[in-house]
């Protein structure tokens, strides 16, 4: 927590709050090491002569695509043309995503007809504008109330839609007639593409949406 408890910007706006998120929730007090430093077999020290359980010191996080897979779970069911997607953060003792506020999680829902043709999408180009409920993120406003603002210029929190520690959230969609199959995918985005472009950062891993979980729902 010396590094991950809290970070404020020059305007004294708290932009990284993992510590508060962890300490302020009453349940699921699992230690950070449980997920980020998985157990393995090894020697406790260079002088040890017996193998025992130790913790990996790689401190896995969102820069590891395999670590992201399954970190959230989604499920879905349909009642007629009413689709409910459930996003499950019940096993995580901090908000999701946490850490740098450039991170966001995005839900993509695609509806296919009986011939496999796409006839529905919850968003096509910009999920923030087209389907806000599908975006899990914290947005900031600067002193001129421009939204979104880079965190280092933030004057206030403009919106907060991240999953809370332990939260299970339901998202509902009304589907058009003819949808027979739904595919839903949950992605982790480490930073918005416009900010990466503006900062001239051309890191393929940062630019790529990383799959967390996906499901298929058949409509009757």
């Amino acid at each position: 927590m010396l590094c991950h408890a809290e970070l404020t910007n020059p305007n004294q706006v708290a932009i990284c709050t993992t510590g508060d998120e962890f300490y302020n929730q009453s349940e699921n007090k699992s230690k950070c090491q449980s997920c980020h430093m998985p157990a393995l077999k090894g020697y406790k020290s260079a002088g040890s002569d017996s193998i025992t359980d130790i913790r990996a010191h790689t401190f896995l996080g969102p820069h590891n695509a395999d670590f992201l897979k399954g970190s959230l779970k989604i499920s879905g069911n349909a009642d007629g043309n009413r689709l409910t997607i459930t996003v499950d953060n019940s096993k995580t003792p901090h908000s999701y995503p946490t850490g740098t506020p450039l991170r966001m999680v995005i839900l993509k829902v695609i509806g296919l007809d009986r011939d496999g043709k796409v006839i529905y999408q919850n968003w096509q180009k910009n999920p923030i504008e087209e389907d806000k409920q599908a975006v899990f993120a914290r947005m900031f406003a600067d002193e001129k109330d421009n939204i979104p603002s880079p965190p280092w210029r933030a004057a206030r929190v403009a919106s907060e839609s991240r999953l809370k520690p332990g939260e299970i959230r339901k998202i509902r969609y009304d589907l058009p007639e003819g949808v027979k199959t739904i595919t839903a995918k949950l992605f982790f985005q480490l930073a918005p593409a416009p900010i990466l472009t503006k900062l001239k950062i051309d890191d393929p891993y940062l630019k790529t949406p990383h799959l967390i979980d996906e499901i298929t729902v058949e409509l009757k």
Side-chain angles (χ1 to χ4, degrees):
M1 285 302 172
L2 290 174
C3 295
H4 293 85
E6 183 180 86
L7 176 67
T8 57
N9 71 1
N11 291 323
Q12 298 306 303
V13 176
I15 57 175
C16 294
T17 57
T18 306
D20 287 344
E21 295 159 16
F22 177 82
Y23 289 122
N24 291 337
Q25 49 99 26
S26 58
E27 299 180 357
N28 193 12
K29 284 289 187 178
S30 58
K31 295 182 179 180
C32 308
Q33 294 93 325
S34 300
C35 293
H36 297 280
M37 299 177 70
L40 49 77
K41 297 293 183 180
Y43 297 98
K44 286 187 175 181
S45 68
S48 298
D49 57 3
S50 61
I51 295 177
T52 186
D53 291 331
I54 61 173
R55 291 285 177 181
H57 281 61
T58 50
F59 208 84
L60 300 173
H63 288 270
N64 183 303
D66 290 333
F67 180 78
L68 289 172
K69 290 180 180 178
S71 54
L72 294 173
K73 289 294 184 182
I74 56 174
S75 58
N77 64 79
D79 183 4
N81 288 337
R82 182 74 163 174
L83 174 71
T84 301
I85 300 292
T86 301
V87 185
D88 188 341
N89 189 42
S90 61
K91 294 183 179 180
T92 310
H94 56 67
S95 297
Y96 199 122
T98 193
T100 167
L102 294 177
R103 297 169 180 170
M104 60 179 63
V105 172
I106 302 171
L107 175 66
K108 179 69 174 182
V109 178
I110 297 176
L112 308 174
D113 65 12
R114 64 177 68 256
D115 298 320
K117 179 182 178 181
V118 175
I119 60 173
Y120 173 81
Q121 296 184 67
N122 64 324
W123 59 270
Q124 296 187 51
K125 295 182 179 180
N126 189 330
I128 296 175
E129 296 179 354
E130 299 174 49
D131 186 14
K132 289 184 178 180
Q133 67 174 345
V135 180
F136 309 92
R138 184 164 42 162
M139 300 290 179
F140 293 95
D142 64 17
E143 293 178 342
K144 296 182 179 179
D145 219 33
N146 295 311
I147 304 173
S149 165
W152 51 88
R153 294 181 182 172
R156 65 178 179 87
V157 177
S159 65
E160 170 66 275
S161 61
R162 296 180 302 160
L163 293 159
K164 296 178 181 178
E167 181 181 358
I168 298 175
R169 187 180 302 180
K170 295 185 182 296
I171 303 173
R172 294 178 173 86
Y173 294 99
D174 290 317
L175 304 174
E177 294 292 335
V179 174
K180 297 300 179 183
T181 304
I182 284 289
T183 62
K185 296 183 179 183
L186 203 60
F187 294 98
F188 194 105
Q189 187 79 49
L190 277 89
I195 289 182
L196 293 175
T197 299
K198 188 171 184 178
L199 296 177
K200 298 180 180 179
I201 296 175
D202 192 26
D203 185 327
Y205 189 86
L206 294 181
K207 294 166 66 175
T208 301
H210 299 281
L211 183 67
I212 300 173
D213 197 15
E214 62 180 316
I215 58 169
T216 299
V217 179
E218 300 291 341
L219 278 67
K220 297 181 180 179

